[in-house]
Amino acid sequence: MRDRVRKLLDTIDSQQEELRRAADLVLDAIDGGGIVHAAGAGHSLAMVCETFYRAGGLAAVRPLWDNEVLPLSGALRSSAAERVPDRGRALVESADVRHGDVVVVFSTSGRNPYPVEIAQEALAREVPVIAVTSPAASAAATDRSGTSLAEHATVVLDTHVPPGDVVHPAQAPRTSAVSTITGAYVWSALLAELDGLAEERGIELPVWTSANVPGGDERNVELVARYSDRIPELSY
C-alpha cells in the first residue's frame, strides 16, 4: 500500500505546468482583492476543511458547502443530496462568487450534479475554476449529470485516484481509500507553488500562523479583519 501511495504522489508531482497555472489563477485573485472559494461534497469536504483557517494556509479562502452534503449530518442523505439537480448552482448564487475570485472544486469522480454545477455556475460568472479530480475515476463512475467536473474547469489537477478510490490489496483493491491523501497533497503542492510565485512577483501572501505558537493569535487578527466581510465563516 505504501508503494502505491508514494507512486501516486510522484505522479502528482509531474504536473508542474498545471500547478503553475493554478497558482497563477489563485495569486491573480488574491493580488486583485478576490478570494478563493473551496467546494466539495461527501468526503471531499475533508479537503474543504484542509483549505480553510488552518496554520500555513491561505487566509483568503471561503468554504463553499451545503450542510445537506455533509456525511456527519446524515450519511445516506448526503449521498442523495449531491445528486439533486440545481443544488450546486443555488449554492454559488447564494455565496457571492464574483468576478475576480477563483473557485476550487474537489471531487474524485466529478460526476454528480453538485460539483459539476458549482463549476458551471462559476464559469458563467467569468470566475476561473480549478478542479481537483481524477479523470480515471470519473471515466469509470456512474454518469449522473451528463458531463464531468473536468469538462468545466480552467485547470485540472489530476489526483490519479483509481476507480473506486481503494488501493489495497494490489491484485484486487477493496480498502485503503487514497483520495483524501492525494487531495491534501495536491493542495499542499499548490500552496508551495503559490508561495514561490508570490516571491517572484514580490507579493506577500496572506497566510495563517498557528494559534498554538507564541504570537499566533496576534498575527492572525489583521487577516480576520481583512477578510471577514467576504468570509463570514471567520466570524464568531
Side-chain angles (χ1 to χ4, degrees):
M1 185 264 189
R2 288 191 297 269
D3 289 343
R4 297 204 71 187
V5 171
R6 290 189 180 103
K7 185 176 180 180
L8 283 172
L9 300 186
D10 287 342
T11 304
I12 289 169
D13 283 338
S14 69
Q15 301 177 82
Q16 287 306 306
E17 181 179 345
E18 291 81 2
L19 284 166
R20 179 76 175 200
R21 288 178 59 208
D24 266 319
L25 292 174
V26 173
L27 190 57
D28 285 346
I30 292 172
D31 192 37
I35 64 172
V36 179
H37 300 266
H43 285 90
S44 290
L45 277 167
M47 297 301 94
V48 176
C49 290
E50 183 71 18
T51 68
F52 178 64
Y53 191 59
R54 68 160 303 153
L58 281 178
V61 174
R62 182 178 186 186
L64 190 62
W65 67 292
D66 180 328
N67 187 60
E68 294 294 311
V69 303
L70 175 66
L72 296 180
S73 64
L76 295 179
R77 182 180 65 185
S78 71
S79 291
E82 65 178 305
R83 301 175 187 179
V84 175
D86 297 326
R87 185 180 294 277
R89 202 175 310 280
L91 180 65
V92 175
E93 290 174 352
S94 68
D96 189 27
V97 177
R98 64 179 75 160
H99 184 68
D101 293 343
V102 63
V103 171
V104 180
V105 184
F106 296 90
S107 178
T108 297
S109 70
R111 281 293 192 174
N112 286 316
Y114 182 81
V116 170
E117 290 174 359
I118 290 172
Q120 289 174 323
E121 185 62 26
L123 290 180
R125 294 165 181 257
E126 299 184 340
V127 175
V129 174
I130 299 168
V132 182
T133 187
S134 170
S138 183
T142 301
D143 182 5
R144 297 189 177 95
S145 62
T147 183
S148 69
L149 171 61
E151 294 177 72
H152 305 282
T154 313
V155 179
V156 175
L157 298 179
D158 190 348
T159 61
H160 294 277
V161 171
D165 205 347
V166 291
V167 296
H168 179 83
Q171 65 275 17
R174 58 179 175 269
T175 190
S176 299
V178 291
S179 58
T180 301
I181 297 170
T182 57
Y185 187 76
V186 166
W187 180 249
S188 290
L190 175 55
L191 291 181
E193 189 69 28
L194 179 63
D195 182 75
L197 186 59
E199 189 172 0
E200 288 177 18
R201 295 192 192 176
I203 298 170
E204 183 178 355
L205 287 178
V207 175
W208 297 112
T209 300
S210 173
N212 296 312
V213 300
D217 283 336
E218 293 75 10
R219 285 195 284 272
N220 291 333
V221 166
E222 185 274 329
L223 294 175
V224 172
R226 188 193 310 181
Y227 290 110
S228 58
D229 283 350
R230 292 223 53 206
I231 307 174
E233 290 81 5
L234 290 175
S235 302
Y236 284 101

